[in-house]
Amino acid sequence: MKYLVTGGAGFIGSHLSERLLAEGHRVLVLDDLSTGRYENIAHLEGRANFEVRVASVTDPAIVERCVNEVEGVFHLASAVGVKLVVDQPVKTIETIVGGTDNVLKFCARYRRPVLLTSTSEVYGKSEKIPFAEGDDCVIGPTTTRRWAYACAKALDEFLAMAHWNESRLPVVIARLFNTVGPRQTGRYGMVIPRFIEQGLAGEPITVFGDGTQSRCFAHVLDVVGALVKLMETPAARGDVFNIGNAEEVTILQLAERVRTLTGSKSTIRLVPYSQAFAAGFEDMVRRVPDLAKVRRMIDYRPTRNLDQILDDVRAELTTDRT
Ligand code: UDP
């Protein structure tokens, strides 16, 4: 198969491209290198079955050409990271909604199967733990910038389902929960690369709020395996699936584990949210995926735990520093 991977130079997209190539597929990456990095895919360039186009998913002419050339589309291109979402609110909404509109429109026109990557953010501040796909999304007010991301992604999901309902566009939606691993940058806020960089540098590890908020982290290699399987499973079309890992950790516990792992003398510094972010930020207290549905559909079982995730990220960042 020849697949288009939008956002293929990003952290998750580059691992996905690698996986697809390893399975014998051809890959066309569309990425504007805004948050993605060329270094993520530099090692793939030159392979006969790999091609890159540097352009934005918001450009309809380019998207049409790319979709026309392939047999299936993984749509990962998106604004990413809480920091970027809060700092660049217009670009965030335009990229998410405009980009997905283009991808779905041309996939519908050329009848290409498409996998849309969404996010656990769409559950918002729901307190019903764990989050199952049929649960209500509890989004905050439009005056709080963070929720624009959740709403834009939810609108993408609605649009995908609308195409499915109107014309049976073969589309499947994957809601990703805190995906982590090598190549993720801490620049846009992601907590694990930030903590490990701070630990390795002996700088204070900055825990936002009181650190009692929790997350469940999934290894990117588990996640990309699930994305490929979902795409290859016709029974999954017209539906939404959580992908993640249900192992929960508080951010304070995470900071302590990183300090031990990096053998660091770093202190742990609690930073009030009001100092960490511009106005318009609100954190989620807990976010745990219910994985029953995706397990039933593709027998998904994450095989890498938090220790392995932390080890892999540390190994990469240690190499970078030497
Ligand atoms: N966080 C933190 N310190 C940092 C970066 C993030 O304490 O330097 C916290 C953040 O407030 C959130 C959690 O870590 O509670 C996960 O943040 P991230 O941005 O990685 O992902 P999110 O789950 O918020 O999308």
Side-chain angles (χ1 to χ4, degrees):
M1 294 278 283
K2 181 172 180 184
Y3 284 114
L4 171 64
V5 179
T6 73
F11 151 60
I12 303 175
S14 62
H15 285 283
L16 174 64
S17 299
E18 235 174 87
R19 174 71 58 102
L20 291 169
L21 290 170
E23 293 188 2
H25 301 294
R26 291 195 292 156
V27 174
L28 169 61
V29 161
L30 174 65
D31 199 303
D32 67 357
L33 303 181
S34 54
T35 54
R37 288 185 295 186
Y38 178 72
E39 303 89 83
N40 288 344
I41 47 167
H43 64 292
L44 303 177
E45 277 254 76
R47 291 203 196 179
N49 46 3
F50 183 75
E51 205 185 317
V52 184
R53 289 203 195 134
V54 179
S56 171
V57 78
T58 57
D59 180 334
I62 301 268
V63 174
E64 175 166 19
R65 217 172 309 140
C66 290
V67 168
N68 191 17
E69 279 177 36
V70 299
E71 293 153 279
V73 178
F74 289 89
H75 178 41
L76 280 75
S78 179
V80 70
V82 175
K83 199 169 149 31
L84 186 86
V85 166
V86 173
D87 292 347
Q88 297 184 20
V90 173
K91 190 164 183 232
T92 295
I93 297 172
E94 287 180 352
T95 309
I96 293 174
V97 178
T100 301
D101 180 31
N102 280 334
V103 168
L104 292 175
K105 197 164 38 206
F106 294 116
C107 284
R109 183 171 304 168
Y110 296 101
R111 304 302 299 169
R112 301 292 189 250
V114 51
L115 179 142
L116 182 80
T117 49
S118 183
T119 164
S120 56
E121 287 261 335
V122 298
Y123 293 104
K125 45 188 170 178
S126 170
E127 288 176 3
K128 185 179 166 295
I129 301 285
F131 295 161
E133 292 84 345
D135 290 345
D136 287 343
C137 300
V138 184
I139 309 289
T142 52
T143 43
T144 300
R145 277 183 233 177
R146 179 184 188 141
W147 302 117
Y149 180 70
C151 265
K153 284 291 203 177
L155 186 59
D156 284 0
E157 291 195 18
F158 275 120
L159 192 58
M161 292 308 299
H163 277 284
W164 165 257
N165 288 323
E166 278 190 16
S167 71
R168 282 288 176 269
L169 168 71
V171 59
V172 58
I173 300 166
R175 284 187 185 155
L176 308 190
F177 283 67
N178 292 79
T179 305
V180 190
R183 298 185 201 143
Q184 186 176 46
T185 161
R187 205 179 319 153
Y188 309 107
M190 278 59 166
V191 67
I192 287 188
R194 284 172 65 94
F195 279 8
I196 293 184
E197 274 169 12
Q198 291 166 339
L200 290 173
E203 290 166 4
I205 297 179
T206 54
V207 170
F208 300 160
D210 63 7
T212 56
Q213 74 274 26
S214 72
R215 291 293 186 274
C216 298
F217 296 97
H219 196 294
V220 65
L221 295 181
D222 283 329
V223 171
V224 299
L227 296 180
V228 175
K229 268 195 179 171
L230 278 178
M231 174 65 105
E232 290 172 345
T233 306
R237 290 172 184 166
D239 214 342
V240 184
F241 297 89
N242 290 336
I243 301 178
N245 187 324
E247 182 186 353
E248 190 176 9
V249 64
T250 71
I251 298 303
L252 195 56
Q253 286 164 345
L254 179 70
E256 280 156 4
R257 276 168 78 163
V258 167
R259 189 166 53 176
T260 310
L261 178 85
T262 53
S264 161
K265 293 193 182 59
S266 292
T267 55
I268 292 177
R269 181 188 293 163
L270 298 184
V271 181
Y273 288 121
S274 56
Q275 265 177 41
F277 291 100
F281 177 79
E282 188 181 352
D283 207 3
M284 279 123 204
V285 183
R286 289 181 74 195
R287 185 194 275 163
V288 182
D290 183 333
L291 298 171
K293 188 172 169 185
V294 70
R295 191 173 306 129
R296 275 198 305 275
M297 181 57 66
I298 56 167
D299 195 27
Y300 171 71
R301 287 163 210 282
T303 57
R304 297 160 183 91
N305 61 17
L306 183 58
D307 281 334
Q308 184 156 1
I309 292 173
L310 296 176
D311 269 346
D312 283 2
V313 176
R314 183 198 48 170
E316 182 199 31
L317 294 177
T318 309
T319 316
D320 282 359
R321 294 170 67 82
T322 52

